[in-house]
């Protein structure tokens, strides 16, 4: 089929958040397995009815941050079984926690999940995996991804000048590619990911900003010093942002519909 970019909105699980995405007809969703388990079935029924594409993340990083000791083997089995039992989940993500458990363990779980679900998870590249491993990923798996987050050194996991190479390498091998946490909207106009996710749409109430579309297509973030004077309240900012990001989903989808990627610099 033709390629199109699916911008999945994340961080919608709280009350007052999913209502907004449902109201503005959010098409592409991302959630974490751990959050989904806590959602009311009635809400999930609405989300499933609304979605064109639903991506489920394991949420394993949450454990890592909290330093919880977890029975990962059991977690992997339960997570995979959940994906298998809920066929409305379009794609799911591996447990890319090799920093904690080592690469052989990550690969073993990947294989185990593939057997339970009947298809492999999205395989996530980290810098430590190296360029050859990325080539191995795109040749052997149908969907790969990498993070848009900044590493401890203050650099992006994949520097901007190499993003085009990563995408082209995937597409040349008939592989789809996801950008995790790509909150910089300017990058989404430049690079034809098959899917990305962002939780930026909820920033309004956190930082007093809101989003709008300039010229009807360009996503902009705005801040007024005295929001009260404009009659804004938190909910209004979130609502403005939800409406904007839901429109932005369709804009990106149409922008990248059927496009092939152009390469940029090749990493050494």
């Amino acid at each position: 089929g033709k390629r199109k970019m699916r911008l999945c909105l994340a961080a919608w699980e709280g009350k007052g958040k999913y209502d907004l995405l449902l109201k503005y007809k959010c098409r592409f969703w991302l959630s974490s397995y751990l959050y989904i388990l806590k959602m009311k079935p009635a809400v999930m029924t609405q989300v499933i009815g609304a979605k064109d594409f639903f991506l489920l993340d394991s949420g394993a990083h949450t454990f890592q941050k909290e330093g919880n000791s977890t029975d990962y083997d059991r977690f992997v089995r339960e997570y995979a079984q959940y994906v298998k039992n809920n066929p409305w989940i379009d794609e799911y993500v591996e447990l890319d926690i090799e920093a904690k458990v080592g690469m052989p363990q990550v690969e073993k779980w990947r294989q185990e999940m593939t057997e339970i679900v009947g298809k492999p998870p999205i395989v996530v590249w980290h810098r430590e995996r190296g360029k050859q491993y990325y080539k191995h990923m795109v040749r052997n798996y149908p969907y790969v991804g990498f993070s848009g987050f900044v590493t401890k050194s203050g650099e992006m996991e994949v520097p901007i000048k190499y993003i085009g190479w990563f995408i082209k390498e995937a597409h040349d091998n008939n592989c789809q590619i996801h950008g995790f946490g790509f909150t910089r909207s300017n990058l989404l106009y430049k690079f034809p990911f098959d899917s990305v996710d962002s939780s930026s749409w909820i920033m309004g109430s956190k930082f007093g900003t809101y989003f709008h579309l300039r010229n009807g297509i360009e996503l902009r973030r705005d801040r007024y010093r005295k929001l009260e004077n404009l009659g804004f309240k938190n909910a209004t900012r979130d609502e403005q942002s939800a409406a904007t990001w839901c429109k932005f989903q369709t804009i990106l989808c149409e922008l990248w519909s059927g496009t092939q990627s152009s390469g940029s610099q090749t990493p050494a």
Side-chain angles (χ1 to χ4, degrees), residues 182-201:
F182 267 79
T183 50
R184 293 199 218 171
S185 58
N186 60 329
L187 297 181
L188 303 181
Y189 296 109
K190 287 183 196 155
F191 298 115
F193 287 98
D194 296 283
S195 53
V196 291
D197 66 86
S198 175
S199 55
S200 285
W201 72 279

Side-chain angles (χ1 to χ4, degrees), residues 100-148:
K100 190 164 198 171
V101 299
M103 204 59 208
Q105 181 63 70
V106 167
E107 291 176 330
K108 188 168 157 275
W109 286 335
R110 186 191 298 162
Q111 189 52 39
E112 195 180 339
M113 290 193 288
T114 303
E115 282 159 20
I116 294 172
V117 177
K119 72 168 187 179
I122 292 182
V123 179
V124 187
W125 186 84
H126 292 288
R127 211 177 260 205
E128 301 72 43
R129 294 193 181 185
K131 185 177 168 182
Q132 288 314 311
Y133 196 87
Y134 183 73
K135 289 185 163 185
H136 156 75
M137 281 167 48
V138 298
R139 288 182 188 135
N140 292 283
Y141 296 98
Y143 219 126
V144 300
F146 66 84
S147 163

Side-chain angles (χ1 to χ4, degrees), residues 133-168:
Y133 196 87
Y134 183 73
K135 289 185 163 185
H136 156 75
M137 281 167 48
V138 298
R139 288 182 188 135
N140 292 283
Y141 296 98
Y143 219 126
V144 300
F146 66 84
S147 163
F149 300 115
V150 171
T151 60
K152 288 190 180 73
S153 65
E155 208 181 10
M156 282 174 75
E157 180 99 73
V158 173
I160 293 173
K161 62 183 176 186
Y162 300 141
I163 291 176
W165 179 86
F166 273 77
I167 295 177
K168 187 174 190 307

Side-chain angles (χ1 to χ4, degrees), residues 58 60 72 75-76 79 93-98 106 109 113:
S58 72
Y72 281 116
F75 177 84
V76 164
Y79 171 51
V93 185
E94 72 171 344
L95 270 71
D96 53 320
I97 55 172
E98 63 263 30
V106 167
W109 286 335
M113 290 193 288

